[in-house]
Amino acid sequence: MKVVLLNSTYEISKAVSSIIIEQITQKPDSVLGFATGSSPVETYKRIIEAYENGEVSLKDITTFNLDEYCGLPHENENSYYYFMKDNLFGKTDVDYNKVHFLSGTTGDIDKECQVYRDDIEKAGGIDIQLLGVGTNGHIGFNEPSESFTDGPFKVKLAESTIKANSRFFEDGQVPEYALTMGIGDIMKAKKILLIATGASKTHAVKQMIEGEVTPHCPASILQNHPDATIFIDNESAALLDKKNF
Ligand code: GLP
């Protein structure tokens, strides 16, 4: 696991977006795993700027998003599909035929999860998986538990996650369940970039980087990935013993 400590969210967004843009430049039909939440928003802005400046085209990429709330259709403003449309896809030339999402409204969850896994494999696997981390160490919606998950599945969200994510919901009504890629899916990505900034992430960052690898902090598994880079700022790094990376 590589750790990069930068001074601001802007610097992190420049660094992370450059890696993604370089990947697309080298391989226009790259397969990218995207994340939602506030952590990747600035990075998406930098990618949009690069697109607007004619530096990159997203028309040939294939995308897989990490997760989706159960019960929220694409048109719902709180769905992660809507988030991606609003924060990246709708502002670039992404081809929606190549956009993949777990459906929060499917009637057949087992099939939905199996098809998603098969689709990732058929696409040749994920070249870069972008991640944030929950305050409790979750990645995607893989909440702390007794064992690491494998493929996509339906999860009951932790109380702390519902509380943390309620800031995005005007009525505060966060769905209790979601569909998410499993830890096995995330670990298969060829390269992983995780962004963790701000004071609310200090404990998750400490455990993820310096703690033991345990499903009680799902992000700690990234210590075992051959090409995972964690981007942190001074605030989220506050509890780390080691500060020079
Ligand atoms: C959500 C998402 C995660 C995200 C995490 C952190 O629960 N499912 O993919 O990484 O929250 O969110 P934020 O970046 O807003 O802190």
Side-chain angles (χ1 to χ4, degrees):
M1 176 191 268
K2 193 175 148 200
V3 181
V4 176
L5 173 60
L6 293 170
N7 282 324
S8 67
T9 303
Y10 180 76
E11 277 185 37
I12 291 177
S13 72
K14 286 294 281 179
V16 176
S17 63
S18 304
I19 297 170
I20 295 172
I21 291 163
E22 177 63 16
Q23 168 71 33
I24 302 173
T25 305
Q26 294 300 323
K27 183 185 169 201
D29 62 348
S30 288
V31 180
L32 300 177
F34 285 131
T36 50
S38 48
S39 303
V41 169
E42 286 297 313
T43 295
Y44 293 152
K45 282 188 189 158
R46 302 291 87 75
I47 296 174
I48 293 165
E49 284 164 12
Y51 163 72
E52 286 172 346
N53 295 337
E55 291 161 35
V56 71
S57 164
L58 276 60
K59 72 179 173 46
D60 293 325
I61 66 167
T62 294
T63 74
F64 289 91
N65 258 82
L66 277 170
D67 44 18
E68 182 58 283
Y69 289 113
C70 286
L72 302 191
H74 287 352
E75 316 74 65
N76 187 300
E77 286 186 16
N78 289 312
S79 74
Y80 281 163
Y81 185 92
Y82 195 97
F83 175 99
M84 288 307 298
K85 223 175 129 179
D86 209 26
N87 285 284
L88 181 67
F89 297 160
K91 293 170 176 158
T92 64
D93 58 350
V94 156
D95 176 356
Y96 281 93
N97 294 314
K98 299 193 185 95
V99 165
H100 297 263
F101 251 87
L102 283 157
S103 165
T105 55
T106 178
D108 189 341
I109 287 168
D110 288 346
K111 189 171 165 212
E112 179 71 17
C113 292
Q114 188 54 52
V115 168
Y116 207 64
R117 192 160 223 201
D118 293 346
D119 284 348
I120 295 175
E121 211 176 296
K122 272 189 241 159
I126 292 173
D127 292 307
I128 295 184
Q129 176 64 56
L130 185 57
L131 294 176
V133 64
T135 51
N136 63 2
H138 75 227
I139 45 178
F141 268 136
N142 290 273
E143 300 285 23
S145 69
E146 294 307 316
S147 57
F148 286 114
T149 58
D150 185 19
F153 70 107
K154 180 178 176 178
V155 61
K156 184 168 179 7
L157 300 178
E159 271 312 312
S160 61
T161 299
I162 291 179
K163 206 170 150 214
N165 290 2
S166 63
R167 69 189 195 278
F168 294 113
F169 289 72
E170 258 177 39
D171 59 2
Q173 295 299 305
V174 183
E176 270 181 70
Y177 291 90
L179 296 189
T180 181
M181 277 188 204
I183 293 292
D185 302 313
I186 293 171
M187 288 298 279
K188 275 190 209 149
K190 289 158 202 154
K191 181 190 270 302
I192 292 178
L193 307 173
L194 184 147
I195 301 171
T197 57
S200 68
K201 302 291 168 71
T202 51
H203 289 281
V205 163
K206 170 85 178 163
Q207 280 191 351
M208 165 173 63
I209 297 173
E210 292 180 347
E212 59 167 328
V213 175
T214 163
H216 295 291
C217 175
S220 63
I221 191 81
L222 301 177
Q223 291 177 28
N224 293 343
H225 191 279
D227 188 2
T229 307
I230 314 296
F231 293 84
I232 53 176
D233 64 358
N234 290 308
E235 281 188 327
S236 66
L239 293 177
L240 292 179
D241 294 330
K242 186 176 166 223
K243 292 276 168 51
N244 302 320
F245 299 102

